[in-house]
Amino acid sequence: MAKTIVSEEDLIQQYLAPLAAGYPGAFGLKDDCAVLQPPAGHDLVLTTDAVVAGVHFFADETPENIAWRALAVNISDLAAKGASPHAYMMALSFPDAPATDWMMRFSSSLKEAQEHFRLNLIGGDTDRRASVPLSITITAIGTVPEGKMVRRSTSRVGDRLFVSGTLGDAALGLVLRRNADAKRFPGLSNEDRAFLLERYLRPSPRVELSAVLMEYANAAMDLSDGLAKDLGRMCKASEKGAIIEIDALPLSSAAARIAEATPEVRTMALSGGDDYEVLCSVPAAKAEAFVEAVLDVGVDMTDIGEIVAQGGLSIKDASGGDVVLPKSGYDHF
Amino acid sequence: MAKTIVSEEDLIQQYLAPLAAGYPGAFGLKDDCAVLQPPAGHDLVLTTDAVVAGVHFFADETPENIAWRALAVNISDLAAKGASPHAYMMALSFPDAPATDWMMRFSSSLKEAQEHFRLNLIGGDTDRRASVPLSITITAIGTVPEGKMVRRSTSRVGDRLFVSGTLGDAALGLVLRRNADAKRFPGLSNEDRAFLLERYLRPSPRVELSAVLMEYANAAMDLSDGLAKDLGRMCKASEKGAIIEIDALPLSSAAARIAEATPEVRTMALSGGDDYEVLCSVPAAKAEAFVEAVLDVGVDMTDIGEIVAQGGLSIKDASGGDVVLPKSGYDHF
């Protein structure tokens, strides 16, 4: 039988405290609370997201991918608000005593993610609860210059709508993850398969965009539940409408190749979840400068439409007709 | 069948957004993140605690008591650190669509707790996960004047050890909650029973102590897993030892009456969890002034022993002999 960790103190001191070593206010996870000294002239930006086995990731997922996802989905929220990651709190709940090997891989992956996103664990809570699936709830804290958080509700009429990267890859990756026997999408190359799986399994939040968003965007949010649903939320919060063109939605070469044989896959760019790309609205007059600025940080942004006065989201096809979606995004609730 | 809430938006906007109404940076829970403007000259103090049905509260507990506990256990951590509650994030996970009546009672109780402890909900996450018990993970954020957080690891040799209120009541309340048929502790009055149950079901974190702790205590922490275990943690973190007298431990009249018939109940003051009282170590020279200051804020503090140089916790009985505990506190892990 695999060696397991039965003491909470071992779990914290051997596997989690090293993740807090870079942050004096974490006190090596030996206190009840962490202390955070807010950088002068900055606001703090806070978000909470939980990921649970069987809901947000497959129960047999690797510890590396689980750890990465748990942190990345939170960082994605911060990045879309123009915030720089600063620290996070983590509540971990295990169904059984975790195996030492599993925990070592989980904490190594968290360390890698921390270093990539530049933040530290500063505190948390650990529990073991029989017959409850593994659950990881992270509260991430970022910083922005005072008053500069990019909101969801501040789009203006005439703004151009942009999305980063490509859409729908993660939804295709999820289909592939579910059907490991490769019956779906026959003829898909191994490279395309690996790319799409990676897009689902290892979300890449757009931290490199945060400064540019802060400078140019009127409004922004990350895409976690599918463009149609999330853009609908931005419109509602901003009390505006939006018109987008389905043919403008950026597809990866892998997704485009699948769409050739299976045209309905195109709608995954609208309704597929887990993209963790950024949606933002930028004043039309600044759109050109914005696109240049994002190229400087190495991100492709695509103009997909505009903000209009009347409420609701309208999706147009090449001939100007309305696209009707079978299902509007994924709702975890 | 009871009316249920099936839309996440309804859940958030009707039941949770009112809890965030007092905090501009919560944006009515309509954004992905909250923004927090740290008060000048203050540090932030952060803690995370999850409560789960069947583990931290009974699955059939009232929504009022569940909500109160979820927030109170977090506030207790802040209070023991000298921090004033400021805001909290909440991740809620339901096994099924919650009933409107349940959710109304839950959110009303949270509102009451918020007003009592003086903080607002500022953000969170909601999920529904079939066959997973109700779980509430709160990250609470408090403020302290810069550099003033009271730590766990800073006890000094010669410090007097104090605890607030009375110990062991919640553990007795838990026994009563488990045995509603009243076979345990026969002869217990209804008043005593109600008092002990209340001590278990509605923890009263000592927020009124925070300023006094900040002024007088070398070290402090809240008592959640039993005095013996928690004091052991303080000793370990401080690299000191402690000697306490079991007869000095403060019992409520209800607990004292039970202890007359059932003397082993005395050890519940040492090992019973869920007290949510404060343990602190105060320089001997300041002990008298400290006791006066806490009386001014209406809290009884009892001197239970002292911090010594050599490691470990030593518990003495009236004749100076060593008390051996059957079990050292409750470990949720």
Side-chain angles (χ1 to χ4, degrees):
Chain A
M1 222 181 99
K3 219 179 137 192
T4 59
I5 304 161
V6 291
S7 140
E8 186 178 16
E9 197 185 323
D10 281 0
L11 177 70
I12 294 173
Q13 287 309 314
Q14 288 191 37
Y15 299 90
L16 301 176
L19 302 172
Y23 202 93
F27 306 117
L29 305 185
K30 281 180 177 160
D31 211 308
D32 311 86
C33 292
V35 69
L36 188 158
Q37 286 161 332
H42 285 69
D43 292 340
L44 298 181
V45 175
L46 292 98
T47 185
T48 292
D49 264 308
V51 296
V52 178
V55 182
H56 305 90
F57 57 86
F58 289 85
D60 63 353
E61 193 48 73
T62 65
E64 288 85 356
N65 287 340
I66 296 170
W68 183 275
R69 169 171 294 271
L71 193 53
V73 299
N74 280 282
I75 299 302
S76 181
D77 277 322
L78 295 183
K81 305 280 108 183
S84 303
H86 181 88
Y88 69 104
M89 307 281 285
M90 176 170 65
L92 263 176
S93 172
F94 295 99
D96 303 295
T100 52
D101 173 64
W102 191 96
M103 197 60 209
M104 206 172 317
R105 293 168 60 192
F106 180 82
S107 55
S108 299
S109 178
L110 263 186
K111 188 158 184 20
E112 191 192 327
Q114 282 189 187
E115 285 168 1
H116 183 77
F117 300 126
R118 295 167 175 270
L119 80 171
N120 280 106
L121 177 67
I122 59 168
D125 186 31
T126 52
D127 262 314
R128 212 164 73 193
R129 305 162 191 169
S131 78
V132 170
L134 173 65
S135 140
I136 305 152
T137 306
I138 284 180
T139 298
I141 303 137
T143 62
V144 283
E146 221 171 290
K148 290 289 193 186
M149 187 184 108
V150 183
R151 295 176 56 183
R152 183 196 276 188
S153 61
T154 38
S155 304
R156 293 189 191 163
V157 173
D159 281 358
R160 298 305 304 174
L161 283 165
F162 287 90
V163 293
S164 63
T166 53
L167 301 181
D169 299 326
L172 291 166
L174 172 59
V175 172
L176 293 170
R177 178 67 175 77
R178 272 207 193 108
N179 301 272
D181 57 1
K183 277 185 191 156
R184 297 294 298 268
F185 315 134
L188 191 65
S189 73
N190 286 339
E191 288 75 9
D192 282 355
R193 174 179 304 273
F195 168 82
L196 295 170
L197 271 171
E198 177 88 357
R199 289 278 287 162
Y200 168 65
L201 294 173
R202 303 277 278 201
S204 280
R206 297 295 190 176
V207 277
E208 62 274 43
L209 279 182
S210 54
V212 186
L213 292 172
M214 201 167 38
E215 189 175 347
Y216 291 95
N218 275 341
M221 65 189 294
D222 77 325
L223 293 172
S224 55
D225 294 340
L227 173 65
K229 185 158 197 168
D230 287 329
L231 176 52
R233 288 169 170 157
M234 181 183 274
C235 288
K236 193 166 180 190
S238 297
E239 299 176 341
K240 303 284 180 298
I243 301 175
I244 62 171
E245 293 166 55
I246 191 165
D247 288 340
L249 302 186
L251 295 191
S252 64
S253 342
R257 277 189 283 270
I258 295 178
E260 273 169 36
T262 320
E264 63 269 28
V265 159
R266 283 218 148 256
T267 65
M268 281 209 181
L270 276 167
S271 59
D274 293 318
D275 282 326
Y276 299 105
E277 295 290 351
V278 167
L279 165 70
C280 65
S281 94
V282 174
K286 290 188 186 175
E288 207 174 318
F290 171 69
V291 170
E292 268 174 45
V294 295
L295 281 177
D296 281 349
V297 296
V299 179
D300 286 316
M301 300 283 306
T302 305
D303 183 330
I304 60 165
E306 70 174 322
I307 293 288
V308 295
Q310 74 271 29
L313 166 61
S314 152
I315 305 162
K316 301 291 183 191
D317 61 22
S319 61
D322 286 310
V323 176
V324 179
L325 271 186
K327 182 189 162 226
S328 180
Y330 182 67
D331 192 339
H332 282 295
F333 191 75
Chain B
M1 222 182 96
K3 216 178 141 194
T4 59
I5 305 161
V6 290
S7 139
E8 186 178 16
E9 196 185 323
D10 279 0
L11 177 70
I12 294 173
Q13 287 309 316
Q14 288 190 36
Y15 300 89
L16 300 176
L19 302 172
Y23 201 95
F27 306 117
L29 304 185
K30 281 180 178 160
D31 211 308
D32 312 85
C33 292
V35 70
L36 188 159
Q37 285 159 334
H42 284 69
D43 292 340
L44 298 181
V45 176
L46 292 98
T47 185
T48 292
D49 264 308
V51 298
V52 178
V55 182
H56 305 90
F57 58 86
F58 288 85
D60 63 352
E61 192 48 74
T62 65
E64 288 84 356
N65 287 341
I66 296 170
W68 183 275
R69 168 171 296 270
L71 193 53
V73 299
N74 280 282
I75 299 301
S76 181
D77 278 321
L78 296 183
K81 306 280 106 185
S84 303
H86 181 89
Y88 69 103
M89 307 281 286
M90 177 169 65
L92 263 176
S93 172
F94 295 98
D96 303 294
T100 52
D101 173 63
W102 191 97
M103 197 59 209
M104 206 174 316
R105 293 168 61 192
F106 179 83
S107 57
S108 299
S109 178
L110 264 186
K111 189 162 186 10
E112 192 192 325
Q114 283 189 185
E115 285 168 359
H116 183 77
F117 299 125
R118 295 168 177 271
L119 80 172
N120 281 106
L121 177 67
I122 60 169
D125 186 33
T126 51
D127 262 314
R128 211 163 72 190
R129 304 164 191 168
S131 78
V132 171
L134 173 64
S135 141
I136 305 152
T137 305
I138 284 180
T139 297
I141 302 135
T143 62
V144 282
E146 223 170 289
K148 290 289 192 189
M149 186 182 108
V150 184
R151 295 176 57 184
R152 184 197 276 190
S153 61
T154 39
S155 305
R156 293 189 191 164
V157 173
D159 281 359
R160 299 305 305 174
L161 283 166
F162 287 91
V163 293
S164 64
T166 53
L167 302 181
D169 299 327
L172 291 166
L174 172 59
V175 172
L176 293 169
R177 177 67 174 76
R178 273 207 192 109
N179 300 272
D181 58 1
K183 276 185 191 159
R184 297 294 300 267
F185 316 132
L188 191 68
S189 73
N190 285 340
E191 288 76 9
D192 283 353
R193 174 179 304 274
F195 168 81
L196 294 170
L197 270 171
E198 176 89 357
R199 289 279 285 160
Y200 168 65
L201 294 173
R202 302 277 279 201
S204 280
R206 296 296 190 175
V207 278
E208 61 275 42
L209 279 182
S210 55
V212 186
L213 292 171
M214 201 165 40
E215 190 174 347
Y216 291 95
N218 276 340
M221 65 189 294
D222 76 327
L223 293 173
S224 55
D225 294 339
L227 174 65
K229 185 159 197 166
D230 287 330
L231 177 52
R233 288 170 171 157
M234 182 183 275
C235 288
K236 194 168 180 190
S238 298
E239 298 175 340
K240 303 283 180 298
I243 301 174
I244 62 171
E245 294 165 54
I246 191 164
D247 288 341
L249 302 185
L251 294 189
S252 65
S253 345
R257 276 189 283 272
I258 294 177
E260 273 170 38
T262 321
E264 63 270 27
V265 159
R266 281 217 150 255
T267 65
M268 282 208 180
L270 276 167
S271 59
D274 292 320
D275 281 327
Y276 299 104
E277 295 291 352
V278 167
L279 166 69
C280 64
S281 95
V282 174
K286 289 188 186 174
E288 209 174 316
F290 171 69
V291 171
E292 269 175 41
V294 295
L295 281 176
D296 281 350
V297 295
V299 180
D300 286 316
M301 298 286 302
T302 305
D303 184 329
I304 60 164
E306 69 175 323
I307 293 287
V308 294
Q310 75 271 30
L313 167 60
S314 151
I315 307 163
K316 301 293 183 189
D317 63 21
S319 62
D322 286 312
V323 176
V324 178
L325 271 185
K327 183 190 162 225
S328 179
Y330 182 66
D331 191 340
H332 282 297
F333 190 73

